[in-house]
Amino acid sequence: MTNRADGRTPRGGASTRSLAHSPGRRSFLRLAAVGAGGAALPTLAGAGEAGPPAEYPWSQSLGAGVVDKPYGQPAAQEAGVIRRNVPWLTAGTESSISFSPIQDLKGILTPNGLFFERYHAGRADVDAEQHRLMVHGLVERPLLLSMSDIVRYPSVSRIHFIECPANGGMEWRAAQLNSLQFTHGMISCAEWTGVPLATLLAEVGVKPEGKWVMFEGADGAHMNRSLPLSKCLDDCLIAYGQNGEALRPEQGYPLRLVVPGWEGNVSVKWLRRIKIGDQPWYTREETSKYTDLMPDGKSRGFTWSIDAKSVITFPCPEKPLGKPGLYEVRGLAWTGNGKVKRVDVSFDGGVNWQAATLHEPVLSKALTRFSLPWQWDGKPALLESRVIDETGYVQPTIADLRKIRGVNSVYHNNSIQTWQVKPDGSVFDVQTA
Amino acid sequence: MAACSMSRPLEALLAVGALLALAGPALAGDKPLYGYGTRPTQAQIDAWNIDVRGQDGLGLPAGKGSVDQGSEVFAEKCAACHGTFGEGVDRWPKLAGGEGTLKADRPEPTVGSYWPFAATLYDYIGRAMPFPNPRSLAPDEVYALTAYILNLNNLVPGDFVADKDSLPKVGMPNHDNFTWEDPRPDTRAEPCMSNCRDPKAVTITSTAEGKTLTPRTTGPLDDMQPK
């Protein structure tokens, strides 16, 4: 069977060609095929004996009516699926980060209540009525906009991830945190709705000397970052919508910048000011922080883009295996450079690899789901995933990254993650040589 | 029907937008296409325009402050977190020290050892500090605090007075160690599919197993500190 990881239909040869259009169907067939080679299917647990009761209390009573919960909540059993923090990481929670529970997420979109948080001065609870966006600097016509002005502009909706470049930053020296949530949870993905930044820039008329743009938030940090005008005109959004509703306060309500594929810090939240200049500002957040210290004492600044990265989300430390048998290994891949082209999975620490199935939709600068059936024989295994993006870039190993960047660069650790599976099915975060 | 009659002007609008986009330097067109919002007054712009540019101090306001004045304000408004001499209390950031540590096993990047531009200090203190009540300092206070922190790092003498002319001239020792062009991709790998490594060479060099750093990921939030 042809393992096409690029999402396109194989051009012949494969006997299941006609079914290959549907990735879901195809991976089901592959799973079944692998299963058929394995042990006989177990019979339904307890069937014929003390089977599950035909009727449960919820089947024999009236449920709560509409608007019982005017704003819906997850089932009570899901109460543990929450953003979590590492309390010892920062002095307080106001300049800190929380991690998305990606081990429990089912698709490419992060529910708004689970989107990771990064604040530099706590969550600003902005009054949208009073909020204004000022656009000025090297422009023909400075502009002051209310939210009701902003929503009048032609709008677009785009699905993009936002990743903090410090995601995985605690793993540069060694495997430290035994958890997918804490090694990879500084990433989330949403459908953003708003105005292309290019529309606003055309509206104010950028002067020919204008080459850089500074964005500033209305939070206590007045977070400010510089971006080159070319990126601003390319694909940036001034967003007010997140997964179909207004932005959450945690994500910058009522207005934020979304800079697709670039480190999360530049997607300034609670956006209140855009200033056009002829040079970058070299703000504290692009000099003291968000620069990468190399082993020779030099530092890299303006390392904006997120290189391709992937991780297996099942199994993982939080989601171990049960008995030996057939499993669907699942994961997420993404790249700031466009689309994911292929993801390979290894069960032996990178000696041999198999192409995984990519699941639609495969969108530019968005999380992409992949999976591969695995007949686990109960032996120890080292699981890894490796993404290749549409530029041909191959996700590196941590050893390869360390050779060039040492262990003190904090940001942009996009290395291959190794999960050690033990015979009892438990899973551990490890690094290999 | 309302829905139909609404979509047509919108389409027309989009067509105009597309035309403008094709018409070359639409960025500096003579007229706004939509005309929403208002033009801010000069007073409004001045009140919002707080940024100070790192490399040349563009945007620095009138006013001045000395190292001595800074030491007083700092003791009152900053030292509780950053320590009297910028040494940092508990896990609050250090503002001084760390010279010569950038190549060390545990580098200590601070204003003195790391920051490339002195004027950035004015910008940051003025917009974000003191942490609990930002934008509460007068320009003279921000200048004085900037002078004091630079002095703590031995970057200016004790009689230094910071203002819009003197601050951008302060040399920062780590300035030349920054590059502002992203050299990535800086790794290259072939996506080998089989027998890519010697299986015997695949050894575990580190594991998170047994380390006490990971907060729990089920049940309520953890407030653990490493043991």
Side-chain angles (χ1 to χ4, degrees):
Chain A
M1 166 123 210
T2 323
N3 289 341
R4 288 303 296 253
D6 56 8
R8 272 179 280 142
T9 307
R11 291 231 161 213
S15 57
T16 52
R17 187 168 44 189
S18 60
L19 290 165
H21 293 286
S22 149
R25 181 77 194 263
R26 185 173 37 160
S27 53
F28 171 77
L29 287 180
R30 287 172 61 186
L31 198 62
V34 178
L41 288 175
T43 49
L44 206 66
E49 299 161 29
E55 302 296 343
Y56 286 95
W58 52 85
S59 316
Q60 293 187 294
S61 59
L62 280 176
V66 297
V67 297
D68 170 53
K69 289 175 181 162
Y71 195 102
Q73 294 291 310
Q77 287 87 347
E78 304 295 315
V81 181
I82 49 176
R83 297 187 280 234
R84 293 171 187 275
N85 63 334
V86 178
W88 51 265
L89 198 62
T90 50
T93 55
E94 297 88 2
S95 181
S96 194
I97 189 137
S98 68
F99 301 70
S100 270
I102 56 176
Q103 70 277 13
D104 283 299
L105 300 187
K106 318 296 183 204
I108 63 167
L109 294 178
T110 311
N112 289 344
L114 298 175
F115 206 102
F116 84 96
E117 305 153 283
R118 172 65 169 116
Y119 308 140
H120 293 78
R123 183 193 66 225
D125 289 329
V126 172
D127 177 351
E129 281 277 312
Q130 294 183 53
H131 188 74
R132 294 289 180 278
L133 174 67
M134 186 183 282
V135 191
H136 72 122
L138 296 175
V139 301
E140 303 293 343
R141 299 171 293 275
L143 201 53
L144 192 61
L145 297 166
S146 68
M147 284 309 297
S148 47
D149 296 327
I150 289 167
V151 297
R152 285 180 68 188
Y153 290 105
S155 61
V156 296
S157 294
R158 307 235 172 86
I159 294 175
H160 292 302
F161 71 80
I162 293 185
E163 184 183 25
C164 175
N167 203 12
M170 288 174 287
E171 304 275 305
W172 273 106
R173 272 168 199 272
Q176 304 253 55
L177 295 166
N178 203 47
S179 149
L180 172 63
Q181 184 162 8
F182 292 120
T183 55
H184 289 79
M186 297 183 196
I187 186 162
S188 296
C189 183
E191 183 204 54
W192 307 102
T193 297
V195 185
L197 180 54
T199 302
L200 277 192
L201 293 177
E203 197 67 359
V204 295
V206 174
K207 292 185 174 166
E209 319 88 85
K211 293 282 178 282
W212 286 81
V213 186
M214 190 209 69
F215 298 86
E216 181 181 271
D219 57 330
H222 299 80
M223 168 58 59
N224 62 333
R225 292 280 321 240
S226 320
L227 290 178
L229 182 66
S230 52
K231 177 67 175 176
C232 297
L233 295 176
D234 178 19
D235 59 358
C236 294
L237 280 187
I238 303 292
Y240 46 77
Q242 175 186 356
N243 288 332
E245 62 180 0
L247 286 179
R248 289 289 174 92
E250 294 94 320
Q251 291 309 317
Y253 180 85
L255 194 65
R256 78 174 300 169
L257 178 64
V258 173
V259 184
W262 284 18
E263 59 185 18
N265 181 250
V266 295
S267 286
V268 172
K269 301 192 280 190
W270 311 288
L271 183 68
R272 73 160 200 178
R273 193 159 70 101
I274 300 176
K275 183 173 175 180
I276 288 81
D278 60 348
Q279 293 174 43
W281 273 255
Y282 299 105
T283 73
R284 184 259 187 175
E285 305 296 339
E286 56 204 25
T287 54
S288 171
K289 305 290 165 189
Y290 302 99
T291 50
D292 315 350
L293 177 59
M294 296 293 122
D296 62 0
K298 307 251 188 240
S299 290
R300 298 175 178 179
F302 295 155
T303 47
W304 296 296
S305 75
I306 294 284
D307 278 332
K309 190 166 172 179
S310 70
V311 67
I312 291 171
T313 57
F314 176 76
C316 68
E318 291 96 327
K319 302 285 172 195
L321 298 174
K323 293 199 177 81
L326 180 61
Y327 287 94
E328 184 181 61
V329 171
R330 301 179 182 136
L332 293 169
W334 61 96
T335 170
N337 293 321
K339 288 184 185 172
V340 166
K341 192 170 78 188
R342 191 176 104 199
V343 177
D344 303 323
V345 170
S346 172
F347 300 102
D348 55 13
V351 179
N352 299 295
W353 297 85
Q354 278 171 265
T357 299
L358 297 186
H359 294 270
E360 295 292 336
V362 177
L363 301 172
S364 182
K365 303 168 192 177
L367 290 185
T368 300
R369 249 165 54 71
F370 68 85
S371 70
L372 187 74
W374 182 37
Q375 182 69 46
W376 180 48
D377 54 11
K379 297 209 180 88
L382 293 171
L383 269 58
E384 297 180 345
S385 66
R386 171 183 71 187
V387 59
I388 299 151
D389 74 17
E390 65 178 345
T391 70
Y393 173 85
V394 181
Q395 185 182 7
T397 62
I398 184 73
D400 285 345
L401 279 186
R402 276 198 206 113
K403 251 180 250 158
I404 293 160
R405 304 192 204 156
V407 294
N408 285 324
S409 59
V410 182
Y411 306 104
H412 296 294
N413 175 2
N414 66 320
S415 62
I416 290 171
Q417 171 68 46
T418 310
W419 298 130
Q420 177 194 27
V421 176
K422 296 199 175 184
D424 66 358
S426 58
V427 180
F428 295 93
D429 170 25
V430 299
Q431 293 183 356
T432 66
Chain B
M1 280 187 323
C4 294
S5 61
M6 269 184 67
S7 73
R8 252 179 241 127
L10 197 62
E11 268 165 33
L13 209 60
L14 289 173
V16 177
L19 275 180
L20 278 195
L22 287 176
L27 277 179
D30 327 324
K31 277 204 221 105
L33 182 56
Y34 305 99
Y36 307 153
T38 55
R39 195 183 176 109
T41 63
Q42 194 55 46
Q44 283 171 325
I45 293 178
D46 292 346
W48 284 52
N49 195 16
I50 61 170
D51 57 281
V52 168
R53 208 155 73 172
Q55 72 275 39
D56 56 4
L58 185 76
L60 278 169
K64 62 178 188 325
S66 69
V67 173
D68 283 349
Q69 288 163 337
S71 104
E72 278 170 36
V73 187
F74 195 87
E76 189 196 331
K77 299 185 174 173
C78 323
C81 296
H82 294 298
T84 308
F85 303 104
E87 71 278 13
V89 175
D90 300 333
R91 258 175 318 176
W92 301 106
K94 271 188 203 318
L95 301 183
E99 295 89 0
T101 64
L102 297 186
K103 288 188 235 174
D105 189 38
R106 301 281 170 177
E108 267 181 34
T110 69
V111 173
S113 68
Y114 197 67
W115 287 39
F117 298 106
T120 303
L121 197 52
Y122 187 102
D123 181 73
Y124 184 67
I125 296 171
R127 72 175 56 246
M129 290 293 138
F131 194 50
N133 40 330
R135 300 282 309 141
S136 60
L137 301 168
D140 284 356
E141 289 180 298
V142 182
Y143 275 122
L145 289 164
T146 303
Y148 178 68
I149 295 169
L150 291 172
N151 179 256
L152 284 178
N153 284 287
N154 302 315
L155 300 174
V156 297
D159 60 0
F160 179 74
V161 175
D163 64 21
K164 69 177 174 16
D165 298 319
S166 66
L167 187 54
K169 296 199 189 93
V170 176
M172 299 298 270
N174 198 42
H175 173 274
D176 293 343
N177 286 323
F178 281 87
T179 53
W180 301 101
E181 298 266 325
D182 190 345
R184 294 175 302 157
D186 53 356
T187 57
R188 256 196 73 82
E190 287 306 318
C192 162
M193 294 305 282
S194 52
N195 302 315
C196 305
R197 315 171 59 180
D198 174 3
K200 287 194 211 74
V202 181
T203 52
I204 292 175
T205 51
S206 73
T207 174
E209 185 180 3
K211 289 186 184 162
T212 56
L213 298 168
T214 317
R216 68 169 163 258
T217 53
T218 54
L221 286 175
D222 203 334
D223 58 3
M224 61 93 72
Q225 300 292 329
K227 283 152 205 118

